[in-house]
């Protein structure tokens, strides 16, 4: 029987996370999804956790200490609640920061001792190209800048244990989250499409491809980086 490396992913129930789960299964990893609803995908185990609830996070993340040996952690779960600075709402700000950034640090801290013990591991934080700034995303962009920054700090702390930590910054990827904030026919959706040199929105598989690479042996000398997978949309304007 071949040994399967264990990978934990947050938010594997749909969108980018579901595509990553499907790819990990195809690559013969053992996959555990941590989020509220089950991915309902053959081969993917699930532990329910609502990251907005501190006590659920403490209990579930603590239980994962005994799940090891863990090879990979993909911090993918995230929410985006757009509003202008002038409509600042502390509850919204705190929920975005908690789910998108605080939970990432808490969970990684719980899982990393297993990687340290094995002297091997991969952490991938799903960031966003909106770390470069985007109107209505005060909290979201800051939370994603935090997870890119985490990857740099963790790369410095954990390199001696052969643990690679990177972030992926997707551009617009057509998922529930994206469609909710960029509905069909809206001006914001069109303006995002106009900014993409490759002329299309991303697919969840585009991000799963990069995650798969970062989990692979080929990426063993890559750490501390934020890799933009965005069809070129982070580069600026395509008009000339
Ligand atoms: N789509 C894009 O254009 C885009 C661009 C850049 C970055 N991203 C990032 O990519 C990641 C995935 O986005 P997506 O587009 O696939 O979003 P999505 O379709 O809305 O999926 C979000 C995932 O996060 C989980 N999640 C949300 N709230 C949660 C909570 N309170 N507790 C636990 N899990 C929770 C959801 O699982 P449950 O509902 O089952 O809990 C779901 O699996 C996010 O971090 C997002 O910020 C997306």
């Amino acid at each position: 029987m071949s040994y399967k490396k264990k990978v934990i992913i947050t938010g594997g129930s749909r969108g980018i996370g579901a595509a990553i789960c499907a790819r990990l299964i195809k690559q013969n990893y053992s996959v555990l999804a941590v989020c509220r609803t089950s991915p309902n995908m053959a081969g993917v185990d699930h532990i329910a956790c609502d990251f907005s609830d501190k006590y659920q996070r403490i209990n579930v993340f603590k239980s994962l200490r005994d799940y090891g040996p863990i090879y990979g952690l993909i911090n993918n779960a995230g929410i985006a609640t757009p509003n202008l600075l002038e409509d600042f709402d502390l509850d919204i700000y705190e929920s975005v920061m908690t789910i998108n950034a605080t939970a990432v640090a808490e969970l990684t801290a719980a899982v990393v001792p297993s990687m340290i013990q094995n002297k091997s591991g991969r952490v991938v934080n799903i960031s966003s190209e909106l770390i470069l700034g985007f109107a209505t995303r005060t909290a979201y962009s800051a939370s994603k800048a935090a997870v890119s920054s985490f990857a740099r700090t963790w790369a410095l702390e954990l390199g001696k244990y052969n643990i690679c930590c990177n972030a992926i910054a997707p551009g617009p990827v057509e998922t529930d989250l994206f469609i909710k904030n960029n509905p069909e026919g809206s001006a914001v959706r069109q303006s995002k499409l106009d900014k993409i040199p490759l002329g299309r929105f991303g697919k969840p598989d585009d991000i799963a491809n990069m995650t798969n690479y970062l989990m692979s042996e080929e990426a063993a000398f890559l750490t501390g980086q934020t890799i933009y997978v965005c069809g070129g949309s982070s580069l600026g304007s395509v008009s000339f």
Side-chain angles (χ1 to χ4, degrees), residues 65-238:
R65 287 176 192 267
D66 303 324
Y67 179 73
I70 298 160
Y71 170 71
L73 171 64
I74 299 165
N75 289 303
N76 162 75
I79 59 167
T81 311
N83 61 358
L84 289 169
L85 181 59
E86 61 211 63
D87 300 321
F88 185 85
D89 178 310
L90 184 58
D91 289 336
I92 292 174
Y93 177 87
E94 287 185 341
S95 74
V96 172
M97 285 296 185
T98 298
I99 292 167
N100 291 8
T102 310
V104 171
E106 286 175 291
L107 176 57
T108 310
V111 161
V112 136
S114 168
M115 297 182 181
I116 290 175
Q117 202 175 1
N118 300 330
K119 297 237 172 341
S120 154
R122 300 290 164 88
V123 178
V124 176
N125 294 341
I126 303 298
S127 176
S128 168
E129 68 163 359
L130 300 191
I131 60 177
L132 300 172
F134 193 78
T136 76
R137 297 292 199 282
T138 295
Y140 181 78
S141 296
S143 70
K144 292 299 182 181
V147 305
S148 281
S149 173
F150 291 166
R152 293 172 64 88
T153 296
W154 298 342
L156 291 166
E157 291 186 13
L158 301 171
K160 63 185 172 206
Y161 304 112
N162 189 30
I163 300 170
C164 300
C165 304
N166 292 288
I168 297 174
V173 178
E174 283 208 279
T175 63
D176 293 354
L177 180 73
F178 178 75
I179 292 163
K180 187 175 128 212
N181 293 318
N182 304 276
E184 290 281 354
S186 66
V188 66
R189 184 184 170 92
Q190 190 57 46
S191 74
K192 284 189 175 177
L193 186 57
D194 292 343
K195 264 193 69 194
I196 304 176
L198 291 179
R200 67 165 175 88
F201 291 124
K203 296 180 287 217
D205 273 342
D206 293 318
I207 311 307
N209 289 340
M210 180 53 70
T211 311
N212 187 46
Y213 173 66
L214 291 175
M215 286 288 139
S216 75
E217 220 19 68
E218 281 83 11
F221 198 53
L222 179 55
T223 196
Q225 306 305 310
T226 291
I227 300 156
Y228 287 80
V229 181
C230 63
S233 70
S234 63
L235 298 172
S237 172
V238 274

Side-chain angles (χ1 to χ4, degrees), residues 11 13-14 16 36-37 50-51 76 127 140 144 171 173 175:
S13 58
R14 57 176 188 270
I16 291 171
R36 291 167 301 182
T37 42
D50 183 343
F51 290 0
N76 162 75
S127 176
Y140 181 78
K144 292 299 182 181
V173 178
T175 63

